[in-house]
Amino acid sequence: MSVAVVTGAGGSLGRAIAVRLAEDGRALALTDVDEASLRETADLVRSTGATVLDRVVDLRDEGALADFFEAVRSGLGPVTALVNNAAIYPTVPFLEMDVADYDAVHAVNQRGYWLCAQLAGRQMAGGAAGDRSIVNVASITMHGGWEQLAAYVTTKGGAVAMTRALARELGPAGIRVNAVSPGAFKTAAEEIYDDPEAYSDMVVERQSLKRRGTPAELAAVVSFLTGPDAAFVTGQTIEVNGGWVMA
Ligand SMILES: NC(=O)c1ccc[n+]([C@@H]2O[C@H](COP(=O)([O-])OP(=O)(O)OC[C@H]3O[C@@H](n4cnc5c(N)ncnc54)[C@H](O)[C@@H]3O)[C@@H](O)[C@H]2O)c1
């Protein structure tokens, strides 16, 4: 059985990714720190007919993560796809951000990605059959920066560097590692802005395509990267941003 792990599955993009990978015929292992939203996604994914294992895990908790991946292996089988998606994005002026806030962002967006890739990679290398791949969710902000999001932007650039390093190292074992770099999708994340409507107008203004992207459109690219049509694609980052940044 093809088994996909999606972190941050309770969030806007994670939910769309989970549903899409279920529609692709995979069993889904879903995790998030927020129980209510995780259960909602799990119910939605179950309604597609897919097998689902869902567990509340804080990505900062190494032991809980290891237990989760072991439960996935014993409950569903070895992981064949991992989508490192969960992230936090506190807006704090750089000159005012204290190290504890920086460490919190790093712990989820960088160390969390690293730990999940390692735990999934070990299962992929040690017995999972067929195509195996990891997709790291980056961000358009890594190209041009974003005010008051320096810690977040730093981790997103790091996710792409990690993607390349792991693609290089795990390729000989047949494990592909890629990234998607979302532009600005219309999600709950937008509520951090004082005037979400003005923000939305600004996004459309900057994009080449004059409409907002949908989470399902990002999920389609994750589906491609984790699927058989991308069997010879590794170490790459696909920008999904309606033609805002062209990298
Ligand atoms: N929404 C966008 O337009 C956009 C743009 C660029 C990049 N991204 C990236 O896409 C991904 C998903 O973004 P989203 O908009 O769906 O965000 P979201 O906030 O809706 O979802 C993120 C999820 O991660 C979970 N999470 C946070 N901390 C966690 C922890 N310690 N342990 C486990 N789970 C934790 C949250 O509970 C949440 O459900 C992120 O990596 C984000 O950086 C999103």
Side-chain angles (χ1 to χ4, degrees):
M1 182 159 50
S2 175
V3 178
V5 171
V6 180
T7 70
S12 310
L13 299 183
R15 178 169 295 172
I17 292 166
V19 168
R20 176 59 194 258
L21 296 187
E23 288 168 354
D24 289 347
R26 296 177 186 275
L28 265 296
L30 307 175
T31 182
D32 201 294
V33 75
D34 183 78
E35 179 161 14
S37 63
L38 174 66
R39 303 293 179 227
E40 262 182 50
T41 299
D43 288 345
L44 204 58
V45 171
R46 246 178 232 112
S47 72
T48 71
T51 304
V52 181
L53 183 157
D54 56 307
R55 182 181 285 196
V56 174
V57 179
D58 188 328
L59 285 190
R60 295 168 294 185
D61 184 341
E62 188 181 353
L65 267 182
D67 288 349
F68 169 68
F69 275 88
E70 201 38 56
V72 175
R73 189 212 303 263
S74 58
L76 303 177
V79 174
T80 56
L82 165 69
V83 185
N84 265 327
N85 167 74
I88 56 172
Y89 34 85
T91 51
V92 187
F94 173 67
L95 297 179
E96 290 166 27
M97 191 165 197
D98 62 39
V99 75
D101 291 336
Y102 170 79
D103 285 347
V105 176
H106 182 271
V108 180
N109 303 9
Q110 186 74 74
R111 185 173 176 272
Y113 276 36
W114 171 279
L115 289 173
C116 289
Q118 196 173 51
L119 290 162
R122 285 176 184 151
Q123 292 190 22
M124 291 175 182
D131 188 46
R132 291 148 290 152
S133 74
I134 296 170
V135 174
N136 295 315
V137 179
S139 165
I140 189 174
T141 57
M142 70 184 175
H143 295 293
W146 204 270
E147 283 170 20
Q148 304 195 13
L149 276 176
Y152 170 83
V153 171
T154 301
T155 61
K156 291 302 178 174
V160 169
M162 189 180 92
T163 296
R164 294 175 181 151
L166 299 191
R168 185 76 59 196
E169 185 161 341
L170 300 180
I175 301 166
R176 301 182 299 104
V177 187
N178 292 291
V180 283
S181 172
F185 286 82
K186 195 152 182 56
T187 65
E190 253 167 69
E191 299 310 319
I192 63 173
Y193 296 106
D194 293 340
D195 184 348
E197 209 171 311
Y199 173 79
S200 189
D201 291 345
M202 178 276 294
V203 168
V204 173
E205 167 82 15
R206 293 189 184 186
Q207 290 174 181
S208 163
L209 300 175
K210 296 300 177 195
R211 64 172 179 81
R212 301 301 304 277
T214 67
E217 289 173 315
L218 180 78
V221 178
V222 175
S223 166
F224 164 70
L225 284 174
T226 54
D229 288 342
F232 203 52
V233 180
T234 195
Q236 308 304 316
T237 300
I238 300 188
E239 305 292 331
V240 191
N241 61 34
W244 181 338
V245 166
M246 302 186 190

